Amino acid sequence: MMSSTPLDEIPKLREALRDTFRKGVTRPLEWRKQQLIHLAKLVQENADAFAEALAADLGKPRLEAFAGEIGPVLERTLTCVEKLDEWSKPTQVEVPDWQKSWNPTIYKRSKGTVLIISPWNFPMILSLQPLYGAISAGCCAVIKVSEIAPSYGELLARLLPRYLDQSAYRVVLGGIPEVTKLLELQWDHIFYTGNGRIARVIATAAAKHLTPLTLELGGKSPVIVDGTFDIALAAKRMLWAKICIAPDFVLVLREKQEELAAALKVAYDSFYPNGALNSMGRIVSDAHHKRLKGLLARTQGEIVFGGCFDENRGFEPTIVKNVSEGDSLMEEEIFGPILPLLPVDSVEDAIEFISSRDHALVLYAFTDDEKTKRALVERTMSGNLVFNDVLQQISVNELPFGGVGESGYGRQVLKHSFENFVYDRPCVDIPKSAEPGLAVRYPPYTDDKVSFFMSTSLNTKIP
């Protein structure tokens, strides 16, 4: 069981970090680069320990730990070191000739002391990715790790002080009492990854202090299968994904449902020739395991394959066909290895179905029809849009990742992580030599002065 940070220590910890920020410790770019290098070393030198912690908490296979968490954090942290000068440099803006002597400039300025609340499903990348953004931005940060991933949390709390400046970066352990205490305090930004229900609690607490937020939420990410793309390949590509941005349900043309179901079974047999119960990670907790069993027990759809589970929180990948909109599997984000197939009569019906629901974090579509692609780009809303694969959008470092509406707001990955924790500070420096051009603003307001301002606006040609 994870230990907890004493509640009375949390305000003191926050105040110590605020004092560090006020003193300007985190301001120099070279200092930030050194902290980023130390963060990269933390990951690299303890990679095996992190993989073991993720296996202990989640049953996460070693390949998935390195491919989905350890590797990306290390690579992106080092990219931040390389790009920090470019991201942080002041920007000169283009202005009319009469304002050029004012030297209009936009500076990137750190927001201050920030709070990062990370989830259990990808505990490493979803805590350290916001952290490299905060470090790059020159912020101090507290990371509240999920109590449902105790091995990772304990490891990070033990290692972070050995690598990073403890006067600027700290880990808080615990559950509801600890996060409640954190949310009573004022922060200069809060970055939360999780579900919409808790996001509303956090947003309400943040509103008391007018604290800006980044919310990375989940939701039911749909897949459209119209039959124009190779269905066997589509099945293979969608079946391997088992994370929060994985397909949550599939809208498949009615005449293609049986073909897709059969292709998913072929892909399953090739992935898990000895069965999946002992080949996959565990469901994270008894409560989540019970929830998934309950959803499956109440479905009115037909189980194509899977549906088995064990007392060690194992759960087979399960495909359910002929699911309807009001089914138990459509009540909430499934967040587990169950994939419902919902037959539709047309792509138009699929678009209408998606448009009538909350905006997804990701919309996936397997189609080679350019007309369908254009329709999805123009007529649907989602945080991200991916054609003919799943999850690969998060491997493109140059693309922002985030939601819209119920799936959250704000963006992350590399520069976009940095941008969360800075604000644009415009600056002008108006010289004495500009005074003749400014004289018209001073009283007394003569007819000539009024005519000047009227002519500059009213004589503007409108297209």
Side-chain angles (χ1 to χ4, degrees):
M1 186 174 181
M2 179 189 287
S3 60
S4 298
T5 303
L7 293 179
D8 60 352
E9 290 297 316
I10 291 175
K12 299 174 187 176
L13 181 154
R14 192 281 308 255
E15 194 55 41
L17 267 59
R18 286 167 62 88
D19 186 56
T20 297
F21 183 78
R22 284 193 294 264
K23 289 177 179 177
V25 172
T26 63
R27 191 176 305 134
L29 295 185
E30 290 306 314
W31 186 91
R32 301 182 205 177
K33 291 177 187 177
Q34 284 302 310
Q35 293 298 302
L36 289 166
I37 289 170
H38 292 322
L39 178 61
K41 289 181 178 178
L42 183 159
V43 174
Q44 186 178 65
E45 293 173 5
N46 299 280
D48 286 337
F50 280 118
E52 291 168 6
L54 295 172
D57 288 333
L58 306 169
K60 182 167 289 193
R62 188 174 177 84
L63 183 149
E64 293 182 14
F66 277 90
E69 304 220 50
I70 297 166
V73 170
L74 178 57
E75 175 195 357
R76 292 170 182 174
T77 301
L78 292 175
T79 300
C80 289
V81 178
E82 298 172 8
K83 297 289 187 179
L84 186 55
D85 288 330
E86 175 187 334
W87 297 343
S88 302
K89 67 182 179 182
T91 303
Q92 305 292 322
V93 298
E94 288 295 321
V95 294
D97 288 344
W98 65 278
Q99 292 178 325
K100 286 184 177 177
S101 66
W102 302 5
N103 191 31
T105 305
I106 299 173
Y107 294 95
K108 296 290 186 183
R109 286 293 176 260
S110 313
K111 286 185 177 178
T113 301
V114 304
L115 173 63
I116 297 165
I117 304 175
S118 63
W120 54 263
N121 59 322
F122 270 67
M124 185 174 183
I125 194 167
L126 295 179
S127 59
L128 300 188
Q129 182 153 274
L131 179 61
Y132 74 57
I135 296 172
S136 300
C139 291
C140 296
V142 168
I143 304 173
K144 167 60 181 72
V145 293
S146 173
E147 70 277 16
I148 304 177
S151 299
Y152 170 76
E154 295 276 10
L155 179 63
L156 184 65
R158 186 169 69 251
L159 291 176
L160 199 75
R162 300 181 190 175
Y163 289 85
L164 299 188
D165 188 334
Q166 201 169 7
S167 73
Y169 307 108
R170 299 290 295 272
V171 175
V172 167
L173 300 177
I176 293 175
E178 289 72 26
V179 79
T180 301
K181 176 61 70 174
L182 285 164
L183 291 174
E184 291 174 359
L185 305 173
Q186 187 272 333
W187 302 92
D188 298 303
H189 193 95
I190 298 175
F191 191 113
Y192 168 73
T193 305
N195 63 58
R197 180 177 59 84
I198 301 300
R200 284 172 168 78
V201 174
I202 291 171
T204 300
K208 180 180 178 182
H209 302 287
L210 298 180
T211 298
L213 294 166
T214 301
L215 299 178
E216 285 286 1
L217 310 179
K220 296 184 75 65
S221 292
V223 184
I224 295 175
V225 177
D226 71 354
T228 63
F229 186 83
D230 183 325
I231 283 188
L233 183 56
K236 183 178 181 180
R237 288 183 172 183
M238 74 174 73
L239 186 65
W240 77 273
K242 303 183 293 292
I243 67 174
C244 58
I245 56 173
D248 191 274
F249 63 94
V250 181
L251 297 168
V252 56
L253 292 191
R254 197 173 303 276
E255 65 269 22
K256 296 292 182 179
Q257 181 181 218
E258 294 302 325
E259 184 181 352
L260 177 60
L264 286 164
K265 181 63 167 69
V266 171
Y268 173 80
D269 290 341
S270 69
F271 288 173
Y272 308 107
N274 299 315
L277 276 180
N278 297 316
S279 303
M280 292 177 59
R282 308 285 93 185
I283 303 302
V284 71
S285 69
D286 291 337
H288 281 287
H289 196 246
K290 181 179 179 181
R291 180 183 63 83
L292 291 172
K293 289 190 293 183
L295 291 176
L296 192 60
R298 292 189 293 114
T299 183
Q300 298 300 304
E302 304 168 44
I303 295 177
V304 178
F305 64 84
C308 294
F309 41 82
D310 61 30
E311 297 308 311
N312 295 317
R313 301 203 302 270
F315 209 108
E316 268 189 322
T318 302
I319 304 300
V320 184
K321 69 179 182 179
N322 289 323
V323 173
S324 63
E325 183 175 2
D327 195 82
S328 62
L329 297 178
M330 298 301 292
E331 292 174 355
E332 59 181 289
E333 181 181 6
I334 293 174
F335 220 76
I338 304 172
L339 187 62
L341 307 184
L342 283 72
V344 293
D345 293 321
S346 66
V347 171
E348 183 66 28
D349 287 347
I351 290 174
E352 288 298 321
F353 185 93
I354 290 167
S355 300
S356 69
R357 303 174 67 86
D358 292 334
H359 304 319
L361 184 57
V362 190
L363 168 58
Y364 299 105
F366 287 88
T367 177
D368 278 337
D369 188 316
E370 293 302 319
K371 182 179 177 181
T372 296
K373 291 181 182 180
R374 285 196 304 273
L376 293 175
V377 169
E378 295 171 2
R379 296 174 52 202
T380 64
M381 288 184 67
S382 61
N384 299 253
L385 176 60
V386 179
F387 293 115
N388 299 330
D389 210 327
V390 297
L391 311 187
Q392 289 306 109
Q393 72 278 11
I394 60 174
S395 70
V396 183
N397 289 340
E398 293 73 22
L399 289 178
F401 180 79
V404 59
E406 282 290 319
S407 55
Y409 47 81
R411 295 293 181 265
Q412 64 173 315
V413 181
L414 290 177
K415 184 179 180 181
H416 305 285
S417 295
F418 165 82
E419 293 284 353
N420 281 313
F421 301 107
V422 296
Y423 70 97
D424 287 343
R425 190 183 192 188
C427 177
V428 292
D429 182 0
I430 303 175
K432 292 188 288 291
S433 61
E435 186 61 18
L438 299 175
V440 69
R441 64 185 175 168
Y442 299 124
Y445 299 144
T446 65
D447 289 344
D448 287 343
K449 291 178 179 179
V450 172
S451 295
F452 171 80
F453 283 107
M454 290 180 64
S455 65
T456 57
S457 58
L458 296 183
N459 291 339
T460 301
K461 186 177 181 180
I462 300 174

